[in-house]
């Protein structure tokens, strides 16, 4: 099998074929996910909560993400890996260069950063220096203290318009993929249709080009899962079938349904 690339994801968007992605933090799960057909994985800073047991993603460091990226790369040599830039690791362009370089050297194909149009210069500079950038808009967990909790974003017209404007500005700056978290389905659809690049949703309804789930949510491990999460293991009884069911339901548009979306 040949390695998955951004061009493959763009082609899927053109063909209106939905794709499933998932977070991965270690070689064993990365291998299992790849074996079942997941070719895009995120080494998310959610590992601060799922692996390290903190109550937010803020304590995660670049060394943590780098360590887990190496592990995931070892388990899934041909997958397209997106590595999260953790809190305060891209506050200045200089910091972004060093930290993104560390993640790319660890095996990432792309880095992900959270935030709106204030990141346009960073996106442009990283892209020019051969680091592809995935944006992350909507509920941005690194900003939990500013947002006042893990809440659905873009519910009123002005905040929805701001998210759409941010997405367009970031795409113009060179962003090549976008994660949209916890926004109403109609807004996610507007943004997905407005952008040429693929948009991956989480808690954003079933009108985006792709979906992502935190693996602990998809496998029923999370103690208090968010509304949009679905325990695929409960329905299937084994992990391999659970992942295959997740892929099937994303590709057919059956997941997320109304009960796992915000309207
Ligand atoms: O860190 C993470 O797992 C993420 C997903 C929630 C998209 O950013």
């Amino acid at each position: 099998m040949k390695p998955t690339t951004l061009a493959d994801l763009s082609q899927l968007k053109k063909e209106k074929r939905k794709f499933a992605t998932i977070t991965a933090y270690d070689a064993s799960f990365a291998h299992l996910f790849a074996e079942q057909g997941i070719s895009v994985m995120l080494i998310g800073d959610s590992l601060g909560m799922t692996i390290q047991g903190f109550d937010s993603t803020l304590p995660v460091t670049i060394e943590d993400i780098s360590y887990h990226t190496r592990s995931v790369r070892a388990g899934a040599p041909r997958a397209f890996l997106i590595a999260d830039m953790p809190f305060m690791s891209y506050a200045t362009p200089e910091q972004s260069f060093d930290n993104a370089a560390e993640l790319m050297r660890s095996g990432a194909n792309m880095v992900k950063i959270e935030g709106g149009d204030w990141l346009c210069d960073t996106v442009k500079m990283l892209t020019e220096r051969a680091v592809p950038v995935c944006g992350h808009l909507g509920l941005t967990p690194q900003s939990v203290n500013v947002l006042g909790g893990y809440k659905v974003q873009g519910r009123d017209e002005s905040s929805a318009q701001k998210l759409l404007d941010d997405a367009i500005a970031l795409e113009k700056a060179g962003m090549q993929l976008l994660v949209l978290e916890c926004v109403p389905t109609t807004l996610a659809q507007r943004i997905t249709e407005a952008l040429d690049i693929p948009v991956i949703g989480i808690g954003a309804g079933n009108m985006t080009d792709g979906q992502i789930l935190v693996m602990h949510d998809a496998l029923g491990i999370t103690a208090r899962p968010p509304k949009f999460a679905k325990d695929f293991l409960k329905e299937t009884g084994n992990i391999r079938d659970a992942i295959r069911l997740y892929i099937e339901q994303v590709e057919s548009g059956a997941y997320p349904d109304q009960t796992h979306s915000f309207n």
Side-chain angles (χ1 to χ4, degrees):
M1 252 227 311
K2 70 176 188 57
T4 301
T5 64
L6 276 173
D8 297 326
L9 302 184
S10 294
Q11 188 59 31
L12 290 175
K13 175 161 182 141
K14 278 200 192 95
E15 293 171 13
K16 297 193 187 311
R17 285 167 57 200
K18 295 183 186 297
F19 56 91
T21 73
I22 197 162
T23 66
Y25 316 103
D26 69 41
S28 303
F29 273 107
H31 183 74
L32 184 150
F33 296 153
E35 229 181 25
Q36 302 318 307
I38 293 201
S39 58
V40 180
M41 295 176 213
L42 168 71
I43 299 86
D45 59 358
S46 52
L47 68 85
M49 298 159 101
T50 58
I51 305 288
Q52 299 173 330
F54 295 115
D55 64 358
S56 79
T57 59
L58 272 57
V60 176
T61 64
I62 202 80
E63 289 75 22
D64 295 333
I65 300 284
S66 172
Y67 170 87
H68 288 278
T69 300
R70 285 179 207 278
S71 307
V72 171
R73 176 53 77 205
R78 280 175 286 277
F80 186 84
L81 299 188
I82 308 165
D84 252 339
M85 301 271 284
F87 178 62
M88 278 294 153
S89 68
Y90 50 97
T92 65
E94 289 69 26
Q95 251 187 332
S96 315
F97 300 153
D98 290 346
N99 290 324
E102 171 63 21
L103 298 185
M104 297 299 279
R105 284 190 200 106
S106 303
N109 299 107
M110 173 176 238
V111 299
K112 176 162 81 59
I113 54 183
E114 296 182 6
D117 57 4
W118 67 273
L119 283 171
C120 283
D121 287 347
T122 304
V123 170
K124 185 168 182 294
M125 284 189 274
L126 285 174
T127 309
E128 284 168 351
R129 287 158 181 77
V131 178
V133 180
C134 175
H136 185 153
L137 290 171
L139 171 54
T140 45
Q142 290 172 17
S143 305
V144 61
N145 292 302
V146 177
L147 299 175
Y150 297 99
K151 296 176 187 164
V152 181
Q153 302 296 308
R155 278 207 190 270
D156 59 77
E157 187 45 38
S158 72
S159 61
Q161 187 62 48
K162 167 79 176 120
L163 286 173
L164 178 61
D165 292 345
D166 281 344
I168 291 170
L170 287 163
E171 184 184 46
K172 277 204 186 112
M175 170 177 79
Q176 285 175 283
L177 205 57
L178 173 66
V179 167
L180 207 47
E181 180 165 355
C182 283
V183 298
T185 305
T186 46
L187 173 59
Q189 180 174 6
R190 259 170 89 188
I191 295 176
T192 302
E193 287 171 359
L195 301 190
D196 289 328
I197 60 166
V199 176
I200 300 177
I202 173 164
N206 64 359
M207 300 306 288
T208 53
D209 303 305
Q211 294 290 329
I212 186 157
L213 271 183
V214 169
M215 59 165 278
H216 293 63
D217 290 347
L219 298 175
I221 300 166
T222 309
R224 275 178 293 117
K227 170 186 158 90
F228 58 79
K230 179 166 170 181
D231 178 357
F232 290 89
L233 184 59
K234 197 157 119 194
E235 278 187 44
T236 56
N238 80 75
I239 295 176
R240 286 180 174 77
D241 288 345
I243 297 304
R244 272 206 299 274
L245 182 63
Y246 167 54
I247 297 170
E248 275 166 31
Q249 293 201 353
V250 168
E251 288 180 352
S252 69
Y255 173 80
D257 58 12
Q258 291 277 349
T259 59
H260 295 100
S261 305
F262 302 104
N263 293 304

